[in-house]
């Protein structure tokens, strides 16, 4: 990593989307709930409910910091529903990671334990164990999640847009940025473009070719791709992301590259994560107000 240049004329902004530009938890939770019911059947996921109950939406917001790619929300819906009902074993082979029977009981206690377990050990081992236990593949869940969003957009575009909320000041910060802006996201590109357009982000400021969505490669690969573009020769990227693990990976893989790293403290991360980031000399913790000022 290198320090940002004093002359900002060579700066490029690369922004994560969910958790930096847009707060999408309510929409992603609702989409995941509908996708889980369509995928496993309403007999498995809260029979008779068309929308997620309040306790589930609140739990999904609590565990949002662990989500890297949208399809994981579909797994989380079933996991948390079963933990709440006492039918889930937590997706854990050990004695200390269950989320249901023998691990907190039914109702709020079982749900609270499942949320805590997910925050501590989602990536290893819970996520993989649940996929094995339920016999599902990542591609199937991506398709289920995307199909529900496509149907929602086709039937009620305004409702889908309304379920997403842009963080205060972010749209103006992008539109009035004096330097090029790129979006790097695990969200499927078509959904990111639809939200940007609906929010009033100028297509001249962020044209489609500057939006790198799911399937574009890792964020490290995408940052390298942006740096390698002829029009960006000699430029310095300021990369804003709300997942510390992503920033840590970039700091190790791109050491010495013209990239500065910022953790968005308004995004989907915890106080513990922010303290961890503050101890890393290669990462700067950034507030929303400072972000909006920096962009302009």
């Amino acid at each position: 990593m290198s320090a940002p240049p004093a002359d900002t004329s060579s700066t490029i902004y690369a922004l994560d989307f969910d958790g930096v530009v847009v707060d999408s938890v309510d929409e992603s939770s609702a989409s995941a709930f509908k996708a889980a019911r369509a995928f496993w059947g309403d007999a498995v996921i809260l029979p008779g409910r068309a929308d997620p109950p309040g306790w589930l939406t609140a739990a999904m917001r609590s565990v949002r910091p662990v989500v890297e790619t949208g399809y994981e929300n579909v797994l989380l819906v079933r996991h948390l529903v079963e933990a709440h009902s006492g039918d889930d074993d937590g997706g854990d082979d050990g004695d200390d990671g269950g989320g249901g029977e023998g691990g907190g009981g039914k109702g709020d206690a079982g749900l609270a334990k499942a949320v805590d377990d997910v925050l501590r050990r989602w990536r290893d081992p819970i996520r993989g164990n649940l996929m094995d236990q339920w016999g599902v593949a990542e591609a199937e869940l991506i398709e289920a999640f995307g199909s529900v969003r496509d149907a929602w957009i086709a039937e009620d575009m305004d409702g889908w847009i309304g379920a997403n909320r842009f963080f205060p000041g972010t749209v103006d910060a992008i539109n009035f940025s004096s330097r090029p802006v790129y979006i790097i996201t695990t969200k499927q590109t078509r959904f990111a473009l639809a939200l940007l357009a609906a929010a009033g982000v100028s297509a001249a400021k962020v044209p489609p070719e500057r939006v790198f969505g799911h399937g574009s490669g890792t964020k490290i690969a995408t940052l390298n791709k942006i740096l390698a573009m002829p029009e960006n020769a000699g430029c310095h990227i300021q990369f804003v992301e709300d997942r510390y693990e992503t920033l840590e990976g970039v700091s190790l893989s791109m050491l010495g590259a013209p990239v500065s790293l910022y953790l968005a403290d308004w995004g989907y991360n915890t106080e513990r994560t922010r303290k961890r980031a503050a101890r890393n000399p290669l990462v700067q913790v950034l507030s929303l107000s400072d972000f909006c000022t920096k962009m302009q």
Side-chain angles (χ1 to χ4, degrees), residues 30-80:
S31 292
F33 182 76
K34 296 174 187 292
R37 283 173 55 82
F39 192 80
W40 285 296
D42 62 1
V44 175
I45 309 295
L46 298 180
R49 300 254 354 183
D51 299 299
W55 60 261
L56 179 57
T57 300
M60 290 292 287
R61 183 169 286 276
S62 295
V63 299
R64 180 57 181 81
V66 306
V67 175
E68 187 171 5
T69 306
Y71 79 89
E72 294 173 85
N73 287 296
V74 184
L75 286 173
L76 282 165
V77 163
R78 180 171 176 179
H79 180 49
L80 295 174

Side-chain angles (χ1 to χ4, degrees), residues 184 212 216-228 250 253-254:
I184 306 177
F212 294 87
S216 299
T218 67
K219 292 188 177 181
I220 292 169
T222 301
L223 289 169
N224 279 311
K225 186 184 302 182
I226 293 170
L227 284 173
V250 173
S253 298
M254 299 183 67

Side-chain angles (χ1 to χ4, degrees), residues 27-28 30-32 34-35 38 140-161 164 187-195:
E27 182 275 323
S28 61
S31 292
K34 296 174 187 292
E140 294 178 293
L141 296 176
I142 290 172
E143 173 63 25
F145 195 49
S147 294
V148 163
R149 275 183 166 157
D150 283 334
W152 190 353
I153 290 170
E155 296 166 7
D156 181 16
M157 180 68 159
D158 290 342
W160 180 77
I161 293 293
N164 293 273
K187 187 187 275 329
Q188 294 182 56
T189 302
R190 66 184 186 276
F191 299 132
L193 288 171
L195 287 169

Side-chain angles (χ1 to χ4, degrees), residues 189-275:
T189 302
R190 66 184 186 276
F191 299 132
L193 288 171
L195 287 169
L196 289 167
V201 172
S202 167
K205 181 58 66 175
V206 187
E209 61 269 22
R210 288 190 191 163
V211 178
F212 294 87
H214 180 78
S216 299
T218 67
K219 292 188 177 181
I220 292 169
T222 301
L223 289 169
N224 279 311
K225 186 184 302 182
I226 293 170
L227 284 173
M229 293 175 178
E231 63 268 32
N232 295 332
C235 285
H236 185 107
I237 294 179
Q238 298 198 27
F239 178 43
V240 185
E241 163 71 56
D242 72 318
R243 291 192 74 251
Y244 174 69
E245 294 80 4
T246 299
L247 294 173
E248 189 175 44
V250 173
S251 72
L252 295 172
S253 298
M254 299 183 67
L255 192 63
V259 180
S260 297
L261 305 176
Y262 299 90
L263 180 74
D265 75 356
W266 65 93
Y268 306 129
N269 46 61
T270 63
E271 181 62 27
R272 180 180 178 183
T273 297
R274 291 188 287 274
K275 288 180 178 178

Side-chain angles (χ1 to χ4, degrees), residues 14 33 35 41 47 56-57 63 83 86 95 132 134 138 175 204 223 234 292:
F33 182 76
L56 179 57
T57 300
V63 299
D95 293 334
D132 290 342
W134 296 331
E138 179 178 326
N175 280 336
L223 289 169
C292 292

